[in-house]
Amino acid sequence: MSSKKPKNSKSPAKSNPMWGGQFASGPAGIMAKINASIDFDKKLYAQDIKGSIAHCAMLAASGIISKKEAADITDGLHKIKSEIDSGRFTFKEALEDIHMNIEARLAELIGDVAGKLHTARSRNDQVALDLRMYVRDMSLTIDAFIKALQLALITRAEEFSSAIMPGFTHLQTAQPVTLGHHLMAYVEMFGRDRARLKNLLANMDECPLGSAALAGTSFPIDRMLVAKTLGFARPTANSLDSVSDRDFALEFLSAAAITAMHLSRLSEELIIWSSAPFGFIKLSDLFSSGSSIMPQKRNPDAAELVRGKTGRITGSLMSMLMTMKGLPLAYNKDMQEDKEPVFDASLQWQMVLSAMTGMIYDFTADKKRMHALANQGYSTATDLADWLVKNLKMPFRQAHHTTAKIVKLATDKKCTLSQLSLTQMQTIEKRITKEIFNVLTVEQSVASRISYGGTAPARVKEAIFAAKKKYL
């Protein structure tokens, strides 16, 4: 057996200068690499500095540090933010994370008084606060992105409130609907996505700072003051829960995954509708690409990429769930893995929403093609059955059976239902009258669907008016 040591064990990394006491030497090289999070958690710098300024103000208000010390600390923190904003700040992996990088730089700027900032708090409650504020900020940003997509859908729905197209179940022609009605379905889906974000914001409206490592602190701090300063309704109620809770991140990722699923469904429809067999819509060059070998191709790549991002965003949710599922209270280093899924999902979420908004405004619709296909597949068969129920007082199941026979007759004769003669229909049901022809066109079918939430153009216009008031 070789006695040669692994490469990473030869030269321990330099000890973190922020530690003291028992740590005389640094960690192994690989330990330093896996332990450091600064490459990604530097994204939290604005939240970290904002939380530190609020904590500092509270320490001064509570008499724990002097007003002069608080002023020096606050001034230093503002300078650090300016440095990071302008790209002049040097992040050091040896300092592990954003908290220690900022604290070390603060010490360089104002001296030992910088160490007083960490009184009555821990990195555990600090990072819980930072991520919570990041999720809060991103939730508000993404809500605006979803609202913009709803506006696009409502705008196009208004344009196509009377444009007839085939409605599908099992991707088979079912009944005629309007394109406006179809687009408004997604307005409602995205409305629920926004409601999930609103619920998330309400659930996470608590400030964990002041919980310290896990047990609270003996200092006479004012957690309510910090919470109010940072825009939270209240402080968290249990210090153990405060530092180990990542429910808010899981809710955020869950909402992201559900929105991505909705976007994927809409993407799939845009892809299908733009294919040659359908030909309902066309996406411009802005959202399409060509083929390297087939010059006739126009590929709906933007829609496919939006659809493809669903797996990535859902993967972020799964990653977070697996990270949290077996952790005892309170903080565990596993939880360092909570940030990258949130960061990536928030970026992808904004990207796919922007792309879809662009595609909705971009597509052109072939109304004649949609209307022609709505006339195929005997899409007004249900209207015929409903007529039998209303006018001949048939039980619906019997009307369904009778209508199926009439559809078969039309199929055999290779014609539409409205092209059958009255005499031909009467061979199936002798009581049918000429009034049957008042319900067999797609225009008549769509206009008749007047129930609340139905596809009748009048109802679609009502839905658009209501959606503008509710969502925009």
Side-chain angles (χ1 to χ4, degrees), residues 44-61 65-67 69-82 85 102 106 116-118 121 126 129-130 133 209 222 225-230:
L44 296 173
Y45 78 90
Q47 289 81 12
D48 195 75
I49 291 172
K50 185 175 181 180
S52 290
I53 290 172
H55 182 69
C56 179
M58 180 276 296
L59 292 177
I65 63 174
S66 71
K67 291 182 179 179
E69 290 169 333
D72 290 343
I73 290 171
T74 299
D75 183 57
L77 289 170
H78 282 302
K79 289 178 180 177
I80 292 170
K81 186 176 186 300
S82 177
D85 286 342
I102 289 174
L106 186 63
K116 294 194 174 186
L117 174 60
H118 209 54
R121 75 174 184 183
Q126 194 177 354
L129 171 69
D130 291 357
M133 289 198 297
L209 201 61
D222 186 345
L225 174 61
V226 175
K228 293 295 185 182
T229 301
L230 294 173

Side-chain angles (χ1 to χ4, degrees), residues 41 43-52 98-99 102 121 123-137 204 208-209 230 232 246 248 339 343:
D41 71 13
K43 189 184 290 287
L44 296 173
Y45 78 90
Q47 289 81 12
D48 195 75
I49 291 172
K50 185 175 181 180
S52 290
I98 187 61
H99 324 297
I102 289 174
R121 75 174 184 183
R123 285 192 298 174
N124 294 354
D125 58 343
Q126 194 177 354
V127 70
L129 171 69
D130 291 357
L131 187 59
R132 189 176 289 246
M133 289 198 297
Y134 179 87
V135 167
R136 182 177 65 182
D137 294 343
M204 65 179 289
L209 201 61
L230 294 173
F232 291 98
R246 294 298 183 271
F248 62 91
K339 298 167 197 66
F343 295 159

Side-chain angles (χ1 to χ4, degrees), residues 153-308:
L153 288 162
I154 290 170
T155 300
R156 299 312 300 274
E158 203 160 19
E159 180 182 349
F160 298 117
S161 60
S162 301
I164 295 174
M165 64 175 287
F168 302 97
T169 62
H170 309 277
L171 206 55
Q172 304 296 314
T173 299
Q175 293 176 282
V177 296
T178 67
L179 178 55
H181 188 59
H182 197 115
L183 295 174
M184 288 302 294
Y186 284 98
V187 172
E188 294 303 315
M189 290 186 205
F190 295 124
R192 293 191 295 274
D193 291 335
R194 292 179 68 189
R196 272 180 277 275
L197 286 174
K198 184 177 181 181
N199 186 62
L200 162 62
L201 289 167
N203 284 343
M204 65 179 289
D205 198 15
E206 298 179 336
C207 180
L209 201 61
S211 299
L214 76 163
T217 179
S218 60
F219 289 95
I221 61 173
D222 186 345
R223 293 192 62 207
M224 182 60 76
L225 174 61
V226 175
K228 293 295 185 182
T229 301
L230 294 173
F232 291 98
R234 67 194 73 84
T236 50
N238 182 284
S239 60
L240 281 167
D241 177 55
S242 300
V243 299
S244 57
D245 168 37
R246 294 298 183 271
D247 292 5
F248 62 91
L250 286 166
E251 282 193 66
F252 179 78
L253 292 173
S254 177
I258 294 172
T259 303
M261 176 271 294
H262 287 154
L263 289 166
S264 183
R265 296 183 72 180
L266 181 51
S267 295
E268 177 71 6
E269 297 199 303
L270 295 179
I271 292 164
I272 291 171
W273 292 352
S274 63
S275 66
F278 280 75
F280 290 178
I281 67 167
K282 181 179 179 180
L283 291 167
S284 78
D285 295 352
L286 295 173
F287 295 95
S288 305
S289 73
S291 166
S292 63
I293 188 173
M294 295 168 284
Q296 83 283 5
K297 291 291 293 300
R298 175 182 289 273
N299 300 322
D301 281 8
E304 291 174 359
L305 288 166
V306 170
R307 184 179 61 184

Side-chain angles (χ1 to χ4, degrees), residues 347-366:
L347 175 63
Q348 303 306 319
W349 199 352
Q350 293 172 69
M351 191 183 304
V352 292
L353 285 166
S354 294
M356 183 56 72
T357 301
M359 284 186 283
I360 293 301
Y361 280 122
D362 178 78
F363 79 80
T364 55
D366 188 335

